[in-house]
Amino acid sequence: MGITKQYLRYVPLKNFNIVCHPDCNIVFVTLNGISDRYVAVGACENVIIWDLRLEKLVMTIEDEDMKNNTSKKISVVKLATTPEGKHIAVGYSDGLVNTFNLATGELIGTFQGHRSTITALTYDTHGHMLASGSKDTEAVIWDVIAEKGLHRLSGHKGVVTGVQFINKHNLVVTSSKDTYIKFWDLTTGHCFKTLAGHITEVWTLSILRNDDFVVAGSNDAELRTWKISKMNDEESEIKMSELLSSDNLLDFASSIKCEKSGSLMREGPGRVVSSATDNTNHVLCVHGHGKLLELFIFSGDGEALERLRNRQRKFRKKASKRGENDEDIAFLNEKNPALQDVVRRLPPILTDYKIKSADLVVNQTHVKVVVSMADNTLAFYSVSLAVGKEVKRIRKISLHGHRSNVRVLAFSSDNLAVFTGGSESVKMWNKKSLNCIRTVETSSPVQCLCVVPGDRHILAGLDDGKLLVIDIAAGDIIESISAHLKDLKSIYMLPDELGCITGGGDSTVKLWQLELVILPNTDRKVLSLLHLKTLELDENVQCSRVSPDNKLLAVALLDNTVKIFFMDTFKHFIDLYGHTLPVNDMDISYDSSIIITASGDKTIRIWGLDYGDCHRRLTTESTLTSIKFIPKTHQFFTTDKNGNVKHWDADVFERVLTLQGHRGECYNMSVSGNGHYIASCGQDNVIRLYEKTEEPLVLEDEREEERTQEDEKELATGEETNVYGGPSVLALPTKKTISSEKAAELLLECLNVIKEYKDSLLENETKGLDKPSLPIIMTAFNVKNTDDYLLEIIKRIRSSELEEVLLLMPFSSVCYFMEALIPLLNHMHHGIEPVVRSLIFLVQTLHKPISSVKDMMPILRQLNVLATKKTNEFRDLVGENLHSLMFINNSQEEEELVFNITQNVQKKRKRQKQKLLKTVIVNI
């Protein structure tokens, strides 16, 4: 058997170029006790935090599982922070919700209950509960402390667009594209009221002013507003005849009143895109698809009443001037302020580009608003709460990313910098810190880049056929050459580093020589290009390459062929036929022996340069966009329109590795000169950097790992959760996942090991033999008996998946599991909570089949007594600890207060003595 060929693995290193992703909202976060300085935005699968004062990136929050998983391409689509600002909830495009600690960036909890993209996410006032809405038309309420689902709110027929807590009445309000707004009781999880005030989709939902107002935005310029109040006892006592004769039964059945207050008219055109409120829920900001952000402030009862009285006073003056009798006018008898008295408009904010999201914080005098825009920029504004004040823009973060998608990349020769080209500029990035060092604005989109040896100049080809010579140090364009009549598609530096070739859409390939010219009236020399030769062709040029030995020129044409010419005379050598669609990119190996081509026909062809024969044809799943050799090897990388970055070997004609790619199309890719780094750009506007590690990679092992990942995508027990002896489908807040199936297998294995060990123990006792040794798996878990082993397995189950794991167990194992819980409840330990929770859930869900088994009745009675006793003991222990900590805290506060008072008294006496001493001296 031959020796298996090994490779070194490439892994994702860092992502950059994203200031703010347009698919995710922006939120203020609290770091170091400051709440109006830092903002969090989504950046593909990561969350990044910007410092608005210093205009720099201060933190990146990422999930390690997503970073290392090559099969999952998900992105952050929704963010929400707790009121105190210590934690942040992140919603992903696959329905996953993660919570992170903002101080450390650590993952706290994982909640899986949705089957599609998260569309709404919010915390309650205390930060103990989290509500999430999704495109699967359902909302889920999560207990963040216990890390479990509380309720699944099913009732909407369209995508859930908003979820908000009304903490004063213990309610949840949801809005959807089905035009309805629903009120849900948090105690029971049932909908008791539906508002049908819209005729089109409801896009935004906000709760304002101490949970008193509900504001919803739709497809028009009207923000419909309802006032919420608790129903009095007199109003709730309705005669049966009135209840039966009424058409609106839900209003009578609800515990709150929801009255239409009016509408707020927006100035911006089109539908409402998003809305946000401040931390006190008194200021509302809304925007549409345009550049206008509108602000509304909801005043308190005192200020609103004063505004009503002023309006009545003015109306009375006007009526007296006209000589009208104002005693019968109903407006003058109003005592409750109207919506126009409660709401006051603040000056609107007009941005430079289309708004995607906004968030705000309020202090005593100003409203600070941060806006994320569609051109990958952030803007920070300050609006005064006083009447008639203008809007002031404080900051704008724009240099850390391109305004549009990046199309080309190139590494410097020393591999310390990365150059990128977009539709508006060329940027230079520090590879280590990923900070943007230089930005050069261009007149049209950049199609190709080439770094001149010495790393002091860049050659950039534009969409209009111009060739730019850019000075890196100065960040200026030295010369703009009209190289081609149409778009310039490729620039390639010659192996002798004395010139370059360019290929354009005007069916020509031109040879250029580098030279230094003296600027007029100065002694300064600058780089320029001298045109030497032109090769006329019949079709447009897609790309061109020169062999490293400087003998052959390869040109890919629009007629699906690759033509090879001699470099010195431009005479035709051979043609490479075989592709059915044009070649998008190609590359020649370091020894000039083979050429690889990537085409739109989803194939890679490996050709020999000596006779032009095709060595092998490799098929891929999508259209290929770029292909590059790793220097000094026959290994190469490809990118395609599925967003994949793949590693191949041209000697064995096999795929080595698939790296985590882009969400959407991958446009281009570049390999560093030493082959240690790969950079790729794509439709998701992120530039991904990959690093070569020392970890060996074997093809057979890699294929086995890929097959395992494919198998894990499909659940072995089906998508739905079935209950033995109960309803066919149980609507749990969570959903069945691969990890819950693995946890169920682990628990079943634990029960089988315990049962076998106890049977062998009993058998040895009857025969008078010694105790059998512990099973190997129990020794691996470092436990001494079966009870500790079962408790350890229960603790290892993720809290949010405990119910799903218990439902995956067969009924016979459930009975044995409940019997095994008796020893765990006989002694106090810190794992009492998941044990009792498992017991209660099994009894509630499988009560009928369990109670039908005669042997289970005494076990249930014993479990009832033990669970009640241990729960009370644990509750008393927690209460004692809590009040002890409160006592210690109060004692420390009292000591600090006495110390401060003593210090102040001593300082006061000292000042009095000094003053008296000065007075005595003056009198003398």
Side-chain angles (χ1 to χ4, degrees), residues 480-497:
S480 178
I481 304 171
S482 297
H484 294 269
L485 300 178
K486 294 182 181 179
D487 51 336
L488 201 160
K489 290 192 174 181
S490 69
I491 303 177
Y492 192 79
M493 188 62 58
L494 297 179
D496 57 7
E497 299 181 350

Side-chain angles (χ1 to χ4, degrees), residues 415-557:
N415 304 317
L416 296 179
V418 181
F419 300 95
T420 59
S423 63
E424 81 299 332
S425 64
V426 174
K427 286 181 178 289
M428 176 182 177
W429 307 81
N430 186 320
K431 183 178 64 64
K432 185 176 181 180
S433 64
L434 300 183
N435 291 328
C436 181
I437 304 172
R438 295 284 186 274
T439 300
V440 180
E441 301 293 334
T442 58
S443 58
S444 62
V446 180
Q447 295 278 0
C448 50
L449 280 178
C450 180
V451 182
V452 178
D455 296 335
R456 298 180 62 182
H457 298 85
I458 310 172
L459 303 180
L462 303 185
D463 190 46
D464 56 2
K466 291 184 178 179
L467 178 61
L468 303 182
V469 183
I470 301 174
D471 188 344
I472 298 174
D476 293 332
I477 299 175
I478 299 176
E479 188 177 5
S480 178
I481 304 171
S482 297
H484 294 269
L485 300 178
K486 294 182 181 179
D487 51 336
L488 201 160
K489 290 192 174 181
S490 69
I491 303 177
Y492 192 79
M493 188 62 58
L494 297 179
D496 57 7
E497 299 181 350
L498 298 178
C500 66
I501 57 168
T502 60
D506 56 356
S507 305
T508 60
V509 175
K510 294 186 178 182
L511 177 64
W512 306 81
Q513 180 181 340
L514 300 177
E515 63 176 4
L516 292 175
V517 297
I518 301 176
L519 291 176
N521 303 324
T522 62
D523 296 334
R524 181 187 172 194
K525 292 184 178 181
V526 295
L527 183 69
S528 182
L529 294 176
L530 176 64
H531 179 226
L532 298 180
K533 285 192 209 176
T534 300
L535 175 63
E536 299 285 346
L537 298 163
D538 297 332
E539 295 286 343
N540 292 344
V541 177
Q542 293 292 103
C543 58
S544 57
R545 292 289 183 271
V546 178
S547 61
D549 57 7
N550 206 15
K551 292 182 179 179
L552 299 177
L553 168 65
V555 182
L557 302 179

Side-chain angles (χ1 to χ4, degrees), residues 908-924:
K908 186 176 181 180
R909 288 178 179 175
K910 188 176 181 180
R911 287 196 300 267
Q912 289 176 351
K913 287 182 180 179
Q914 291 177 353
K915 186 176 180 181
L916 182 61
L917 183 62
K918 289 180 180 179
T919 305
V920 172
I921 293 174
V922 170
N923 290 336
I924 292 174

